[in-house]
Amino acid sequence: MIETGHFALVLALALSLFQAMVPLAGALRNDERVMATAAPTALSVFALITLSFGVLLAAYYRSDFSVVNVFENSHSQQPALYRITGTWGNHEGSMLLWVFILALFTALVAAFGRSLPLRLKTLVLAVQGWVGSAFLLFILLTSNPFARLSPAPMEGRDLNPILQDVGLAIHPPLLYLGYVGFSVAFSFAIAALIDGRMEAAWARWVRPWTLLAWTFLTAGIAMGSYWAYYELGWGGWWFWDPVENASFMPWLSGTALLHSAIVMEKRDALKIWTLLLAIITFSLSLLGTFLVRSGILTSVHSFASDPTRGLVILAILVFFIGGALLLFALRASSLKTGGLFAPISREGALVLNNLFLASATATVLVGTLYPLMVEAFSGEKISVGEPFFNLTFGPLMVPLLVAVPFGPLLSWKRGDLPAVAMRLVWAFGFSLLAVAVSLLFVDPTAVFAALGIGLAVWLFGGAVTDLAVKAGVGRTPLPVAMRRFVGLPRSMFGTALGHAGLGLTVLGIVAVSAFEQERIVAMKPGDSVDIAGYSITFDAIVPVRGPNFVADRAQFLIATAEGRALGTVSSSKRIYTARQMPTTEAGIRTFAFSQLYVSLGDLSEGGGAVVRIWHKPLITLIWLGTVLMMIGGFVSLSDRRLRVGAPRAPKSRLRQPQAEATG
C-alpha cells in the first residue's frame, strides 16, 4: 500500500502538469475540445491525491513503522485519534494535506463551476494545476512522506506531546482550508489577466470561494488561539508570534478582498484593486507556508529543519508571487476601471474599510519580517513583540471599527451620512450607556477600557440596527416589518452576524486585557488564595497514568468568598514516556462568559507547587464572537445568489473567436 500511495503522487504530478499546460494551450487557441479536458483531469488528480493521503492515514492508524514518517511521529500507545492526526503533525504529512486540500478546491471548481464560461473555467483550472504541480514536485523531491525504513523498528518515537490534543486534530485542516481556499480567487485573478477581460460577473463567481476560504480561515485561527490558550499553560490567547501572524495576514487581506468584491459585483468598480487583493491574499498564504515549513522560524508549528526545503519553497514563492505581480503590471492597465461613486456612499465606506485593512496587513507584515531580515543581513537577533503591534495595529483598527456600522446603511453611489447617523442613534445611545456602566460599576479609572466596551456595543448595536432598518421596523406596522425581516436575503443576515460577532470578540478582548487578575503563589495542600471574589483551595496531588504518559494532577476546590462551594478544577504536569518530554495541562473552569485558569508550576519536595491563577473576565466572548462570524459566513453562503453563478455564456459566443480565427 505504501508504494501505491507514492505512485499515486507521481501520477498526480503527471496529470497536474497536463492540467497546467494542455487546457491552457486549448484556451489560448479557443479549442473547446482541448479545454474540455481540464475538468476531468482535475477530478482525476483529486482522486489520486485522495488515495495517496488515505494510504498515509492508514499507515499511521496501523502504526506501520516501516515508513520513516510514521516512525518519527507516532507511537503504538498513542490514542487512535492522535495516531490519525499525527498524519499532519509533521512537515511531510502537513504538505500532503496542503496539496490534498488544493486538489479538493480544484475538483470543486471543476464539478460545480458549470455556470462558468468554458474559457474562464479552463484558465482557472490551469492555474490551479500550476500551483499543484509545484507543490507535488516539492513533496516528491524533498519531502517524500512514503520513504521506507529497513529493517522496520518495533516502536516509533511518538508525536510531539504538545500536538497530542483535540485542538490540533482540528486546527491544521481548518487553517489549510482557509489558506488554500484563497488559491481559487488567485486563479480567477490570473485567468482574468490572461484573458484581458474582467466584468462584474467575475466578482460574483469569486465571492463564494473567497467567503468559504475566509470562513474556514477564521475557524482555523480561532481554534489555534484557543488551543494555545489551554494547552501551553501560559494563560494568553494571542502572542503576536510570527506563525500566528502568518495566518492573520491573509485573514486581514481576505477580509478586504471580500468587501472589495462586493463593490465590484454591485457597482462594477474597484476592478484593479480587487484583482490585486486576490493576488496578495494568496501570496500571503504562500508566505505563511514558507515561514512555517521552511525551518526559518522555531515554533511548535514548525516541523522542517532542512534548509534545502526552505530554498525550494522560497523558489516556489518567488515564482508565483513574482510571476503574478509581473503579469498584473503588464495587463492591469488594459482593464476598464469601472463605475464612479461619491466618497460618502456604500462604495466609499468599503474603500475606507479596504484602506485600513490593507494598512493593518502591511503593519503586521513589517513587524513579522523585519526581525528575519535583520538577522539575515547582519546576524543580529532582535524581536518585535506586543508593544509594537499594539501601538501600530490598534490605532488602525479603532477608526475602522467605528465606521463599520455606517457601511451597510449607506446607499450605493451616493449616501446620506446625517440620515444614517440618525438611524444609528439607538446603537450610539446603548454604547454610551455601556461606557457609563463600566466607569460607574467596574472601574472608574479604566477610561480606555470603558471606551473599548462602548465600541463593542456600538458594533453589536449597528448590526441589529442594519437588520431593523432593512425590515422597516418603526416605519411600517409590526406584522409587515416581521414579514420583511423573515424575507430578507440570507447574505444580509450573514453580514449582520459577522459584524455582531466582531463586536463580541472586541468586548472579550477589551474585558480580559483591562480587568484580568493574576496570582502567582507557592501552595501546599490545604492552602487557599483569593482572587476576583473566588477562593481557591489546594486539595491534593494525585499520580495519574495515561495511555502514553504519567502525570501529577493537582486538584483545587473553588468556592465563593462567603464559602459556598462551586466545584473543582484540576491542573497537571505530564511526562510523555516515549520522548520523556514534560507538558503542562491547564485547569479551566468557566462561569458564565468568564473563566478561572489554573496552571501548575514546578513541584516541591514537600508536596507543594508554584501555582499561577488567573481570573479572565468575559474571555470566552473572544471565541464565541469568531463562532458567530463563522455562522455568518455559512449563512451568507447559503444565499442562493451566492450559490448560483451567472448564466452560462451561449455557445455561439464561445465559438465566435475560433470562427474568426479560422476565417
Side-chain angles (χ1 to χ4, degrees):
M1 284 186 65
I2 301 304
E3 281 66 38
T4 300
H6 189 191
F7 188 58
L9 274 187
V10 176
L11 286 178
L13 173 61
L15 283 179
S16 290
L17 290 170
F18 178 91
Q19 175 188 333
M21 292 184 286
V22 175
L24 176 61
L28 296 177
R29 294 171 51 196
N30 291 300
D31 189 329
E32 290 187 28
R33 290 174 300 175
V34 177
M35 286 191 283
T37 63
T41 304
L43 294 172
S44 301
V45 170
F46 172 64
L48 288 168
I49 295 178
T50 301
L51 171 62
S52 182
F53 189 68
V55 167
L56 189 62
L57 274 173
Y60 267 89
Y61 184 76
R62 299 193 325 266
S63 296
D64 184 354
F65 299 124
S66 69
V67 181
V68 176
N69 189 256
V70 179
F71 163 71
E72 291 180 344
N73 300 283
S74 189
H75 193 280
S76 62
Q77 293 181 355
Q78 280 178 207
L81 174 64
Y82 304 142
R83 291 205 305 274
I84 293 172
T85 59
T87 307
W88 52 80
N90 58 87
H91 170 78
E92 293 82 1
S94 65
M95 292 308 302
L96 185 57
L97 176 65
W98 203 99
V99 296
F100 168 73
I101 293 175
L102 178 71
L104 170 62
F105 273 97
T106 308
L108 290 175
V109 173
F112 297 103
R114 291 185 293 271
S115 61
L116 295 174
L118 179 59
R119 179 181 171 86
L120 176 63
K121 179 179 176 181
T122 301
L123 291 172
V124 169
L125 293 177
V127 176
Q128 291 285 105
W130 279 109
V131 178
S133 299
F135 280 94
L136 283 169
L137 193 63
F138 168 76
I139 290 173
L140 289 170
L141 293 182
T142 70
S143 308
N144 179 15
F146 299 107
R148 287 284 199 178
L149 191 61
S150 182
M154 294 297 294
E155 192 53 87
R157 292 179 175 173
D158 201 11
L159 179 66
N160 185 337
I162 295 177
L163 305 181
Q164 295 187 38
D165 184 81
V166 176
L168 259 291
I170 304 170
H171 166 58
L174 289 176
L175 201 63
Y176 281 5
L177 283 166
Y179 268 173
V180 182
F182 285 124
S183 68
V184 179
F186 173 82
S187 296
F188 268 95
I190 300 303
L193 288 172
I194 293 174
D195 206 24
R197 189 174 57 181
M198 193 175 180
E199 302 170 351
W202 181 93
R204 188 181 183 186
W205 292 319
V206 167
R207 196 150 72 95
W209 300 104
T210 304
L211 182 57
L212 184 65
W214 179 89
T215 303
F216 279 123
L217 187 57
T218 302
I221 293 173
M223 186 69 253
S225 169
Y226 192 65
W227 165 80
Y229 168 71
Y230 72 78
E231 175 64 23
L232 301 183
W234 63 308
W237 57 273
W238 191 262
F239 191 63
W240 292 108
D241 177 87
V243 176
E244 292 175 328
N245 297 347
S247 60
F248 191 44
M249 287 185 289
W251 186 88
L252 290 170
S253 61
T255 305
L257 171 61
L258 204 54
H259 290 82
S260 182
I262 295 174
V263 177
M264 182 178 169
E265 179 186 353
K266 301 294 184 182
R267 301 296 305 161
D268 196 27
L270 300 186
K271 290 183 178 180
I272 296 175
W273 176 242
T274 305
L275 203 65
L276 182 60
L277 277 176
I279 294 173
I280 289 175
T281 301
F282 184 59
S283 297
L284 290 171
S285 296
L286 289 177
L287 178 63
T289 302
F290 168 71
L291 291 175
V292 177
R293 297 290 169 251
S294 65
I296 196 170
L297 297 176
T298 302
S299 165
V300 295
H301 305 75
S302 303
F303 308 119
S305 57
D306 183 358
T308 304
R309 293 171 173 173
L311 291 175
V312 176
I313 295 180
L314 182 60
I316 294 173
L317 193 73
V318 170
F319 176 77
F320 283 107
I321 297 178
L325 292 177
L326 177 62
L327 184 62
F328 176 82
L330 294 174
R331 301 299 297 271
S333 59
S334 65
L335 299 174
K336 294 181 179 179
T337 56
L340 300 176
F341 51 86
I344 304 299
S345 62
R346 191 177 300 186
E347 297 97 322
L350 292 171
V351 168
L352 183 70
N353 164 288
N354 272 224
L355 290 174
F356 279 112
L357 285 173
S359 301
T361 305
T363 296
V364 179
L365 181 65
V366 170
T368 304
L369 294 186
Y370 180 70
L372 302 177
M373 299 296 291
V374 170
E375 183 178 355
F377 288 104
S378 68
E380 181 184 356
K381 289 190 175 184
I382 65 170
S383 62
V384 175
E386 186 175 355
F388 168 81
F389 292 105
N390 289 345
L391 288 173
T392 55
F393 183 83
L396 288 171
M397 286 295 101
V398 171
L400 172 61
L401 297 178
V402 170
V404 163
F406 286 93
L409 293 172
L410 286 168
S411 301
W412 293 106
K413 199 170 183 179
R414 184 180 297 276
D416 187 345
L417 190 60
V420 171
M422 288 300 298
R423 292 169 184 164
L424 287 168
V425 67
W426 284 102
F428 184 68
F430 278 112
S431 64
L432 285 181
L433 179 62
V435 172
V437 168
S438 177
L439 290 174
L440 290 173
F441 298 104
V442 181
D443 187 349
T445 64
V447 177
F448 287 109
L451 292 174
I453 291 172
L455 181 59
V457 174
W458 165 251
L459 288 167
F460 199 91
V464 174
T465 302
D466 179 31
L467 294 177
V469 167
K470 288 172 180 173
V473 175
R475 302 193 314 271
T476 60
L478 185 60
V480 176
M482 290 303 297
R483 286 197 299 272
R484 288 184 178 179
F485 179 82
V486 173
L488 289 176
R490 294 179 187 175
S491 60
M492 290 185 181
F493 285 104
T495 299
L497 286 171
H499 291 172
L502 181 61
L504 283 183
T505 297
V506 169
L507 180 57
I509 291 171
V510 171
V512 75
S513 300
F515 305 121
E516 176 184 273
Q517 296 184 37
E518 179 185 5
R519 297 290 303 272
I520 304 176
V521 290
M523 301 181 72
K524 294 182 180 180
D527 291 349
S528 297
V529 62
D530 295 330
I531 183 171
Y534 296 95
S535 176
I536 313 296
T537 302
F538 195 160
D539 184 29
I541 295 181
V542 180
V544 177
R545 178 173 292 276
N548 59 338
F549 65 85
V550 293
D552 290 309
R553 178 184 296 166
Q555 183 166 301
F556 300 85
L557 306 178
I558 305 174
T560 63
E562 295 78 23
R564 182 168 59 89
L566 297 175
T568 63
V569 63
S570 298
S571 178
S572 61
K573 301 288 287 187
R574 290 182 180 179
I575 297 290
Y576 284 78
T577 52
R579 292 198 179 201
Q580 288 298 303
M581 182 174 173
T583 64
T584 299
E585 301 297 315
I588 300 174
R589 187 66 187 265
T590 303
F591 297 98
F593 298 113
S594 303
Q595 290 184 334
L596 281 174
Y597 186 109
V598 180
S599 180
L600 190 65
D602 294 332
L603 304 180
S604 63
E605 294 181 1
V610 175
V611 182
R612 297 184 71 179
I613 304 171
W614 288 270
H615 176 251
K616 297 180 174 292
L618 303 184
I619 190 169
T620 58
L621 293 183
I622 295 174
W623 299 290
L624 289 175
T626 60
V627 170
L628 201 58
M629 289 185 227
M630 290 152 45
I631 293 173
F634 286 118
V635 168
S636 292
L637 282 169
S638 70
D639 193 321
R640 187 176 181 276
R641 297 178 305 165
L642 288 184
R643 287 187 284 112
V644 179
R648 183 189 296 273
K651 289 188 176 181
S652 59
R653 286 180 58 191
L654 290 174
R655 291 197 180 102
Q656 187 176 358
Q658 185 179 8
E660 292 176 356
T662 54

